[in-house]
């Protein structure tokens, strides 16, 4: 029988990990949903967030066990090149799904900026809508919303050439350093691998720190909030989800660093590391999009 | 055994389908309507329909031919062909050509519907949960149009009349042979203003305005319905358009303007409790009973009872506030912009004194009007 | 040389399933998971069907009889959501799980543990969704398309659970789709080139791609809703500079590909069945692959045909009209190929074939009404009427659902080793066929005559056809209990099926014994 290109393929026996994961997820969303409803309804003695945290803990514990198991299986020689290719496809398509998630928000930004806001102000095909908002002027960033009593516009917005520029430089260099870490790993130079990886993580954390600072400034000084109309909505939605992804990416890289210290990865076989680094590059690319479309333009 | 029955039953099905659809008078087809646009749309609809029927007959014909003639039980031996680039190209090209044939009249119809030329009359149409408001912008006339079918008919306590669910208290009145432009918008959620016989269907989007127009060539009453799910009573917000000759229309407008002047007078006079109660009962029935129920018992938990409610039996100012400003985020709308001062004063007074609520206090229309101008 | 390794910690039994509930909860076996998906989907079909029966009972005659408008809207919404996300999609994933590894000679799915996860989060998601029915404010009531602001500012608070439910369903679909793509691209037996794959595998490959591309967009739009509801953003509120129509654009960018997600696997099933019972190779295999790909591509650029009446600029209307019409071309190619496959074959009409033939005819009728809807100016009259309801039930019920029935009858003997009862199968078909047409055909008429959808009560002139439709719905619904009976009967007492089951069918799944052993293809098989 022919086996070219078809190596041994490891099929795991039954596992209790997924059901724990599913339960964790369910507990989390029940908690999160109830928490938000309570928040909006002004319920004061809500304890729903504890449910959510319980869910988080179940998820975290399951994920930890899950990955530990995968790594152990890999180290015991169960995995083949073909199985690794499944992981490659899996990670690749997962990143594609993330791209589409961001695409929805970029699409929304494009739509409100180029269509909805001008229409409300009397420009373009549906400009007649301006009869409902006689005072409203189109502008981007949108400082005055159509109905300021409901959505007070921001006093000012974040300028691209301060913190955002610094953040751009940080993230772009982190893409380079993670690549250097990869090259080092392939060359079998573990000391450099650890060094570049650590630098990458530091850059990522610095980025997050600056972003927190930026948010604090926006909320405390500029009046730029989620509630300040469509500019604030798109701004925080895009940068916020990006920030969340940077956090996840930084976490993944940290795990990889710990694994590197434990002596995992060989110059030939290090898919875990590669997956994390792809994710990191993806997060960077999204940032470049953000920098251009949210901050500069 | 059953399998032998397939072709004949399917054929019967197809024939039934054809025979039913051509009987256009049996409410099985789209209305040709009364306007040029509605005719054009109807014709287009029929063209596309017949093209589909013909394609269907050909494709299903060949298929049923195989089903009848090439069955194993009749000793058919399977052929071995399974590919032909030529055939594939042919049956890609022919449908493509047919589609182009369809696209041409469709495009010209659409361009006709998007005609941007000046109109003779502008009417702003605003969708509310669950009624329509019409504003004759230049004439300064505006009113709400509510479902007028009695609840008893809806709940089968009485026989349904001919225009069940398609009748309103105040129809939209338009002149014939004039280009009427509708500026369609909404106050709360998305609605859609649709009258089949003039082939106008435009979504009413809160915060935006959509344009549509019609020229109705003959007097008549044309009925339609809200065509976008807009909450509980989406099925109960009909549209009635009354097309009148220019003279009748002018008379109607004059009468409307006079009524508005009278309303102003009513606003300024001092009302008695009985007067307000009598008026309030009517206002309540058309505007409030849908949620709070005719006997004030509400539909708990979503819609609170007013009978014995803390607000309806408490200080009058908070009662006025909730009726005028509504409660954002709930179904309780801001009626301040929807009802006249007289109606507001009447309904508030009514709620405080009906169904065993017996505050005995009242509010005058003029006070409401003053509160509104003070804002 | 053995190609499959199994873990060493369970040395007791490598080749059979575990016993008891643990088998199902902990399983990583593609056949077990396929079975779970299929049963789950059937339960959801009955649940969603019961809701449809509530709708049809209320619409039996004019006036409000059984339910209040509030609850009616909840039924419509939950019916749509459950049928789409709970019945049709999981059924197809179940079929994919059972069949794709067997069709391509793979030992299992590529990522078996994740496979279990994708299934097991679904019952939680639907439990959450269904639990809203018992909450004080009631279930979501804004239609399965949940247009803002009815679904945001004006929604019951249970919308929050609905949003999280959708997130979980999305996660399930994305993981399922990633798994299927990885399996197809990575686990084929070496000689099986892409262009030798069975069409069911091809259609699923393309479906999986659509899923990964659009489910995240759905997640994005419900997240925007969540932000508008709880965190004060104004995506869908003009007062803050947003636009309710933005919601519709993002939703339908997901929603239109979604409807092809619900039909492409059925195309695949029918393309497997028709050749078998025509005893002739599928006509135009290559063009079938290209047609499916073109449908998938076009599905991304037609979304606004659901929005012809929202007041788009003329250029937009024209573009979306033309693009939508174009889909008739590749779909036509598929229909013609099926007919050409039957042409000059040696046809027999076992139950799967009956369903497949009905599929071709009735789906095409649904496609024709789709094409009529695509003509923008005429859609001004059709939009949001029962004509649309008739259209999508014709493509979904005799389309997706009949496709699934066809597939189940076709492969059931392979799954459980027993033959189903042919007489009962045919009875199930004919009753379904009559019931289904009786339910949905009259909807064309009332729709054209002007009956809007999503209403609990209607004007008198629509009464007759609604009555027929309601009777049909109960016939069709009750018939599905017969289906349940047939399946159970087959599992417990059918007569033994051979490995081939049918008369010389094509495909690797027929080379293994019936029932298919718990683990198949531990070594890659040869293909011609
Ligand atoms: C399985 C699901 C499915 C499928 C396959 C389709 C297929 C198609 N649909 Fe449908 N559609 C839905 C599910 C589906 N739809 C749903 C659920 C809704 C409503 C959503 C809601 O609002 O709730 C909807 C609504 C809907 C609308 C919006 C209507 C409205 O709300 O106003 C439109 C408009 O263009 C449309 C068009 C089409 C077209 C052109 C096709 C085409 O793919 C059909 C192509 C097929 C053929 C044309 C037949 C075979 C071809 C030939 C034999 C070749 C020769 C033919 C010619 C040249 C004519 N659909
Ligand atoms: C795949 C999808 C799918 C399927 C299979 C169906 C199946 C059916 N649908 Fe549905 N439908 C939709 C998708 C689907 N629908 C969507 C997307 C909408 C739009 C929703 C919206 O507007 O938001 C819709 C809307 C819709 C409406 C319009 C509602 C409205 O506008 O207000 C109607 C009305 O008749 C209807 C009817 C039916 C019927 C009678 C069936 C029948 O085929 C159902 C058959 C019945 C059964 C299967 C029941 C079997 C069970 C029993 C007999 C009892 C067993 C009991 C126990 C087990 C306890 N559907
Ligand atoms: Cu208003 Cu539906
Ligand atoms: Cu569509």
């Amino acid at each position: 029988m022919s086996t070219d290109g078809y190596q041994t393929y490891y099929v795991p026996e039954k596992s209790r990990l997924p059901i724990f994961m599913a339960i964790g997820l369910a507990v989390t969303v029940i908690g999160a949903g109830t928490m938000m409803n309570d928040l909006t309804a002004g319920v004061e003695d809500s304890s729903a967030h504890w449910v959510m945290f319980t869910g988080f803990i179940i998820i975290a514990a399951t994920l930890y066990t899950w990955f530990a198991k995968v790594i152990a299986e890999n180290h015991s020689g169960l995995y083949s090149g073909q199985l690794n290719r499944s992981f490659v496809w899996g990670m690749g398509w997962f990143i594609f799904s993330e791209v589409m998630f961001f695409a929805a928000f970029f699409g929304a930004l494009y739509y409100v900026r180029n269509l909805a806001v001008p229409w409300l102000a009397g420009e373009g095909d549906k400009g007649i809508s301006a009869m409902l908002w006689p005072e409203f002027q189109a502008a981007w960033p949108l400082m005055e919303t159509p109905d300021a009593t409901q959505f007070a516009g921001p006093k000012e917005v974040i300028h691209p050439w301060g913190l955002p520029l610094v953040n751009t430089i940080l993230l772009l260099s982190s893409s380079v350093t993670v690549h250097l870490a990869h090259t080092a790993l392939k060359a079998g130079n573990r000391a450099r691998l650890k060094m570049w990886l650590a630098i990458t993580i530091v850059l990522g954390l610095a980025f997050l720190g600056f972003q927190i600072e930026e948010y604090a400034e926006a909320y405390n000084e500029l009046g730029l909030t989620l509630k300040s109309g469509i500019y604030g909505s798109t701004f925080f939605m895009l940068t916020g989800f990006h920030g969340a992804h940077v956090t996840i990416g930084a976490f993944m890289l940290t795990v990889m660093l710990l694994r590197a210290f434990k002596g995992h990865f060989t110059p030939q076989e290090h898919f875990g590391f590669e997956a994390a680094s792809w994710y990191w590059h993806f997060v960077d690319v999204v940032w470049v999009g953000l920098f251009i479309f949210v901050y500069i333009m | 055994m059953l399998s032998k029955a397939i072709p004949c039953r399917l054929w019967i099905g197809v024939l039934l389908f054809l025979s039913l659809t051509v009987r256009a008078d049996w409410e099985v087809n789209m209305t040709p309507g009364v306007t040029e646009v509605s005719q054009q749309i109807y014709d287009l609809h029929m063209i596309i329909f017949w093209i589909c029927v013909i394609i269907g007959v050909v494709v299903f014909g060949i298929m049923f031919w195989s089903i009848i003639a090439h069955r194993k039980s009749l000793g058919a031996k399977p052929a071995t062909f399974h590919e032909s680039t030529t055939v594939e190209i042919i049956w890609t090209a022919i449908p493509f050509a047919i589609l182009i044939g369809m696209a041409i009249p469709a495009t010209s119809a659409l361009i006709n519907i998007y005609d941007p030329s000046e109109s003779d009359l502008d009417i702003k149409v605003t969708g509310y949960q669950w009624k329509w408001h019409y504003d004759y912008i230049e004439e300064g006339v505006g009113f709400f149009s509510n479902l007028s079918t009695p609840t008893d008919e809806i709940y089968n306590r009485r026989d349904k009349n001919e225009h069940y669910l398609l009748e309103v208290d105040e129809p939209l009145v338009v002149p014939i042979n004039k280009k009427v432009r509708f500026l369609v918008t909404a106050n709360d959620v998305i609605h859609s203003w649709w009258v089949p016989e003039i082939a106008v269907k435009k979504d009413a989007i809160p915060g935006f305005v959509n344009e549509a127009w019609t020229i109705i060539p003959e007097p008549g009453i044309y009925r339609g319905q809200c065509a976008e799910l807009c909450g509980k009573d989406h099925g109960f917000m009909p549209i009635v358009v009354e097309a009148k000759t220019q003279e009748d229309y002018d008379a109607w407008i004059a009468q409307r303007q006079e009524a508005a002047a009278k309303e102003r007078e009513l606003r300024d006079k001092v009302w008695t409790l009985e007067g307000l109660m009598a008026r309030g009962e009517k206002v309540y029935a058309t505007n409030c009973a849908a949620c709070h129920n005719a006997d004030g018992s509400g539909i708990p938990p979503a819609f609170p009872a007013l009978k014995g409610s803390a607000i309806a039996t408490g200080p009058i100012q908070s009662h006025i506030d909730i009726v005028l400003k509504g409660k954002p985020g709930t179904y309780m709308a801001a009626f301040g912009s929807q009802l006249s001062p007289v109606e507001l004063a009447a309904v508030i007074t009514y709620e405080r004194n009906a169904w065993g609520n017996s505050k005995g206090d009242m509010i005058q229309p003029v006070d409401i009007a003053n509160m509104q101008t003070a804002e | 040389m053995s190609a499959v390794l199994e873990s060493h910690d369970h040395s007791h039994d490598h080749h059979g399933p575990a016993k008891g509930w643990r088998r199902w909860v902990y399983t990583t076996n593609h056949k077990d998971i396929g079975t779970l998906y299929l049963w789950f989907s059937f339960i959801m079909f009955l649940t969603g069907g019961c809701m449809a029966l509530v709708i049809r009972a209320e619409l039996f005659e004019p006036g409000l009889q059984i339910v209040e408008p509030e609850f009616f809207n909840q039924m419509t919404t939950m019916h749509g959501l459950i049928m789409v996300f709970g019945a049709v999609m999981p059924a197809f994933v179940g079929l994919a799980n059972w069949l794709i590894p067997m069709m391509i000679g793979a030992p299992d799915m590529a990522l078996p543990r994740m496979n279990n996860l994708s299934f097991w989060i679904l019952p939680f998601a639907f439990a959450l969704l269904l639990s809203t029915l018992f909450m004080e404010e009631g279930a979501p009531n804004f239609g399965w398309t949940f247009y803002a602001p009815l679904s945001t500012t004006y929604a019951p608070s249970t919308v929050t659970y609905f949003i999280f439910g959708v997130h979980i369903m999305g996660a399930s679909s994305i993981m399922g789709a990633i798994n299927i793509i990885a399996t197809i691209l990575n686990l084929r037996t070496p000689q099986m080139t892409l262009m030798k794959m069975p069409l069911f595998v091809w259609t699923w490959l393309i479906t999986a791609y659509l899923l990964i591309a659009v489910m995240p967009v759905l997640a994005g739009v419900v997240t925007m809703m969540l932000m508008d509801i709880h965190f004060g953003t104004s995506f869908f509120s003009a007062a803050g500079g947003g636009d309710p129509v933005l919601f519709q654009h993002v939703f339908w960018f997901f929603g239109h590909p979604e409807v092809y997600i619900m039909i492409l696997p059925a195309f695949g099933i029918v393309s497997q069945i028709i050749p078998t019972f025509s005893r002739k190779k599928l006509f135009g295999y290559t063009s079938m692959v290209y047609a499916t790909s073109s449908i998938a591509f076009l599905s991304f650029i037609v979304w606004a045909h659901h929005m012809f009446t929202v007041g788009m600029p003329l250029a937009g209307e024209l573009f979306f009209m033309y693009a939508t019409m174009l889909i008739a071309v590749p779909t036509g190619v598929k229909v013609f190929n099926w007919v050409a496959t039957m042409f000059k074959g040696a046809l027999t009409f076992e139950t799967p074939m009956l369903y497949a033939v009905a599929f071709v005819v009735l789906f095409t009728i649904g496609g024709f009404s789709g094409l009529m809807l695509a003509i923008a100016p005429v859609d001004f009259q059709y939009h949001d009427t029962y004509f649309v309801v008739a259209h999508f039930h014709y493509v979904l019920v005799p389309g997706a659902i009949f496709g699934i029935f066809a597939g189940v009858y076709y492969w059931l003997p392979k799954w459980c080793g027993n033959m189903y009862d042919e007489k009962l199968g045919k009875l199930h078909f004919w009753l379904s066929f009559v019931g289904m047409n009786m339910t949905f055909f009259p909807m064309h008429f009332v729709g054209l005559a002007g009956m809007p959808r999503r209403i609990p009560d209607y004007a008198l002139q629509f009464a007759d056809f609604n009555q027929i439709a309601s009777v049909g719905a109960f016939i069709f619904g009750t018939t599905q209990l017969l289906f349940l009976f047939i399946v159970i009967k087959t599992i417990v007492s059918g007569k033994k099926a051979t490995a081939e089951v049918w008369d010389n069918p094509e495909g690797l799944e027929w080379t293994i014994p019936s029932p298919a052993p718990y683990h198949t293809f531990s070594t890659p098989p040869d293909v011609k």
Side-chain angles (χ1 to χ4, degrees), chain C residues 111-180:
Chain C
L111 304 161
R113 277 182 293 235
M114 190 171 87
N115 200 12
N116 174 307
L117 178 61
S118 345
F119 171 75
W120 273 106
I121 58 181
L122 273 185
F124 290 103
F126 281 90
L128 184 62
L129 187 64
L130 285 166
S131 71
T132 59
L133 275 168
F134 305 100
M135 293 180 189
E136 193 179 294
E137 290 184 47
N141 54 9
F142 28 65
W144 88 282
T145 52
F146 49 102
Y147 281 6
L150 187 63
S151 63
T152 55
T153 325
Y154 294 84
S157 67
T158 50
V159 63
T160 314
Y161 299 111
F162 156 82
I163 289 174
F164 281 113
V166 170
H167 274 132
I168 298 187
M169 293 167 208
S172 163
S173 297
I174 292 172
M175 286 192 289
I178 288 177
N179 216 337
I180 288 168

Side-chain angles (χ1 to χ4, degrees), chain B residues 2-3 5-6 9-10 17 20-21 26-31 38 41 44-45 48-49 52-53 55-56 59-60 62-67 70-73 76-84 87-88 91-92 95-96 99-100 102-103 106-107 109-111 113-114 129 153-156 160-162 164-166 187-190 192 194-203 205-208 210 225-236 301 303 329-331, chain C residues 62-65 68-70 73 136 141-143 147-150 153-154 238 242-245 248 278-287 308-314 317-318 321-322 325-326 328-329 333 335-337 339-340 342-349 354 357 360-361 364-365 368 371-372 375-385 423 426-427 430 433 441 444-462 464-465 503:
Chain B
L2 270 167
S3 67
I6 311 164
R9 293 207 194 173
L10 282 182
F17 164 56
L20 286 181
T21 355
W26 196 32
E27 295 280 15
V28 294
N29 202 357
M30 181 189 284
T31 167
S38 72
I41 287 178
L44 196 52
H45 157 72
I48 311 279
F49 169 73
C52 287
V53 169
I55 298 175
V59 176
F60 301 151
I62 296 172
M63 186 167 164
F64 284 107
W65 165 250
S66 310
I67 289 177
H70 305 145
R71 35 180 56 208
K72 191 165 172 242
S73 54
K77 293 270 166 302
T80 52
F81 65 87
H82 61 86
E83 211 147 31
S84 162
V87 172
E88 300 285 351
W91 65 40
T92 307
F96 189 75
L99 291 173
I100 293 176
M102 293 177 176
T107 306
L110 202 59
I111 289 171
I113 293 170
Y114 269 71
Q129 281 177 323
E153 289 189 14
I154 295 174
Y155 284 95
N156 312 306
K160 299 176 179 17
N161 79 76
E162 186 193 352
Y164 178 69
L165 293 189
L166 297 179
N187 186 53
D188 32 49
V189 301
I190 302 179
S192 188
W194 179 35
V195 179
E197 279 164 308
I198 60 174
V200 171
K201 183 184 281 149
K202 262 292 172 227
D203 289 3
I205 317 272
F208 288 80
N210 276 327
Q225 276 176 277
C226 176
E228 182 61 64
L229 178 62
C230 52
K232 178 167 89 54
D233 284 347
H234 160 61
F236 304 90
F303 306 103
T330 74
Y331 278 113
Chain C
L64 293 178
Q65 291 87 22
E68 287 296 317
E70 254 317 276
N73 288 345
E136 193 179 294
N141 54 9
F142 28 65
Y147 281 6
L150 187 63
T153 325
Y154 294 84
D243 185 349
V245 174
Q248 298 181 24
S278 304
R279 289 161 187 79
K280 194 160 152 268
K281 259 180 91 132
L282 181 72
F283 189 85
Y285 174 92
T286 323
S287 65
F308 282 140
T309 62
V310 297
M312 267 186 297
L314 178 61
E317 302 273 310
L318 287 173
M321 174 171 80
Y322 298 150
M325 293 170 73
L326 270 184
V329 174
V333 168
V335 172
F336 302 142
N337 280 329
V339 174
M342 290 167 67
F343 193 72
K344 297 213 157 150
L347 305 173
T348 53
F349 296 93
L354 287 178
V357 172
V360 176
V361 176
T364 303
I365 293 179
F368 286 152
L371 189 83
M372 295 168 76
I375 310 294
V378 196
D379 184 63
F380 294 159
Q381 293 283 48
Y382 304 136
H383 177 68
D384 260 327
T385 67
K423 271 215 181 77
K426 287 201 168 111
L427 181 66
W430 283 109
F433 179 83
F441 208 84
H444 291 110
F445 302 145
V446 285
L448 290 176
M451 176 167 162
R453 58 192 282 212
R454 295 167 168 170
I455 56 174
D457 192 6
Y458 49 83
L460 300 180
Q461 74 260 32
F462 309 127
D464 297 347
F465 288 122
D503 192 3

Side-chain angles (χ1 to χ4, degrees), chain A residues 6 8-15 18 34 36-37 40 73 82 85-86 97 100-101 111 126 146-147 226-227 229-230 233, chain C residues 3 5 7 18 26 28 107 110 113 116-117 157 160-161 181 186-187 213 216 230 232-234 238-240 243 310-311 313 524:
Chain A
Y6 192 104
T8 57
Y9 202 88
Y10 170 71
V11 178
E13 263 297 336
K14 63 185 170 22
S15 161
T34 313
M36 288 181 191
N37 275 349
T40 303
E73 284 169 353
Q82 194 187 12
R85 263 202 309 283
S86 286
S97 79
M100 292 307 293
F101 182 71
Y111 180 89
K126 285 173 79 171
D147 182 354
L226 279 168
K227 300 187 166 108
I230 195 65
S233 305
Chain C
L5 283 167
S7 64
Y26 296 161
T28 51
R113 277 182 293 235
N116 174 307
L117 178 61
S157 67
T160 314
Y161 299 111
I181 294 200
N186 194 27
L187 260 61
H230 293 298
T233 54
S234 52
D243 185 349
V310 297

